[in-house]
Amino acid sequence: GENVEQHPSTLSVQEGDSAVIKCTYSDSASNYFPWYKQELGKRPQLIIDIRSNVGEKKDQRIAVTLNKTAKHFSLHITETQPEDSAVYFCAASIQSNTGFQKLVFGTGTRLLVSP
Amino acid sequence: DAGITQSPRYKITETGRQVTLMCHQTWSHSYMFWYRQDLGHGLRLIYYSAAADITDKGEVPDGYVVSRSKTENFPLTLESATRSQTSVYFCASRAGVRYEQYFGPGTRLTVT
């Protein structure tokens, strides 16, 4: 069935270290993979996304990589800062049986960056 | 972000009551969504709409009803609220052919 697994569920790093969050998906037809950041009490905010025709995408300290063969994608944050502390969600597009594209979300990773 | 709003932001209701959560967007996005967020489950899709008067079920639709008579509004109704519907509800929207999806600020619903 439609499934996105996300690991780890919690991640603690020191300021300046790198953080990596990994997701796997089950539908080989998935072609869009966004990442959302959610601060406490706030809405999920889109921070970066990647489409299946690209293997890697970077935006300053954030990068996402995609391995279509293995059906997994990862979020990389370099030079972490305390303000990076939040819950991060990955998602994969799934085509429903009516042809509609929807997103299935992972269960989230709580990232804590200590000064 | 101000383009998609939800009301109320907080709601406490009793078991068995009907409650409606409102979602309004000013971007003229075709697609709108309702999710619920619970600890350990991430974001689960309740209902979605591809356009006015076109709606369909998501992963967890039981106990919920939606309508979309106007493009900008997508209300979610709990016909007879249960404690298991205590959750944070997020509305979201996206433009027709693009995948970027944006969330509203959320409604925290408590059913006592």
Side-chain angles (χ1 to χ4, degrees):
Chain A
E2 308 158 356
N3 192 37
V4 175
E5 293 191 2
Q6 183 171 347
H7 299 281
S9 56
T10 58
L11 180 58
S12 293
V13 299
Q14 292 289 321
E15 183 176 1
D17 288 349
S18 294
V20 181
I21 303 170
K22 299 182 179 181
C23 290
T24 58
Y25 59 98
S26 57
D27 187 350
S28 56
S30 295
N31 58 14
Y32 175 64
F33 308 91
W35 286 89
Y36 287 83
K37 174 184 180 182
Q38 187 179 27
E39 296 175 347
L40 192 63
K42 301 288 181 65
R43 74 187 80 190
Q45 299 256 7
L46 179 67
I47 56 171
I48 194 167
D49 56 15
I50 191 167
R51 302 184 191 274
S52 59
N53 59 345
V54 174
E56 184 175 357
K57 184 176 178 180
K58 264 185 130 175
D59 183 3
Q60 299 183 349
R61 297 186 296 108
I62 294 173
V64 57
T65 58
L66 172 65
N67 183 327
K68 286 188 293 184
T69 304
K71 288 193 277 188
H72 68 69
F73 56 112
S74 300
L75 178 71
H76 304 254
I77 306 174
T78 58
E79 299 171 28
T80 54
Q81 300 167 4
E83 51 265 38
D84 294 329
S85 296
V87 178
Y88 291 81
F89 291 96
C90 64
S93 65
I94 303 288
Q95 187 140 339
S96 71
N97 51 17
T98 59
F100 182 78
Q101 288 268 5
K102 58 182 180 179
L103 294 178
V104 176
F105 286 83
T107 51
T109 296
R110 183 174 299 279
L111 174 64
L112 177 62
V113 181
S114 303
Chain B
D1 284 343
I4 182 166
T5 57
Q6 292 182 236
S7 61
R9 295 294 315 280
Y10 303 90
K11 177 74 177 178
I12 300 174
T13 192
E14 294 176 343
T15 301
R17 289 196 181 262
Q18 183 181 82
V19 60
T20 296
L21 310 184
M22 303 301 294
C23 178
H24 176 78
Q25 53 103 356
T26 59
W27 292 314
S28 299
H29 284 176
S30 297
Y31 297 93
M32 295 187 75
F33 308 84
W34 276 106
Y35 293 88
R36 60 177 290 173
Q37 185 174 38
D38 305 289
L39 219 57
H41 291 281
L43 292 148
R44 292 183 292 175
L45 183 64
I46 305 170
Y47 268 95
Y48 61 91
S49 170
D53 297 322
I54 301 175
T55 63
D56 205 351
K57 297 177 180 179
E59 301 171 65
V60 289
D62 293 345
Y64 303 95
V65 174
V66 294
S67 62
R68 193 151 176 224
S69 56
K70 291 184 177 181
T71 300
E72 60 267 29
N73 297 323
F74 190 38
L76 176 75
T77 298
L78 288 67
E79 295 187 298
S80 178
T82 65
R83 289 195 182 87
S84 65
Q85 293 177 308
T86 292
S87 187
V88 179
Y89 291 85
F90 286 100
C91 179
S93 72
R94 74 166 197 245
V97 296
R98 300 183 66 188
Y99 296 119
E100 289 87 350
Q101 186 167 299
Y102 300 98
F103 285 86
T107 294
R108 183 174 294 277
L109 176 68
T110 301
V111 184
T112 62

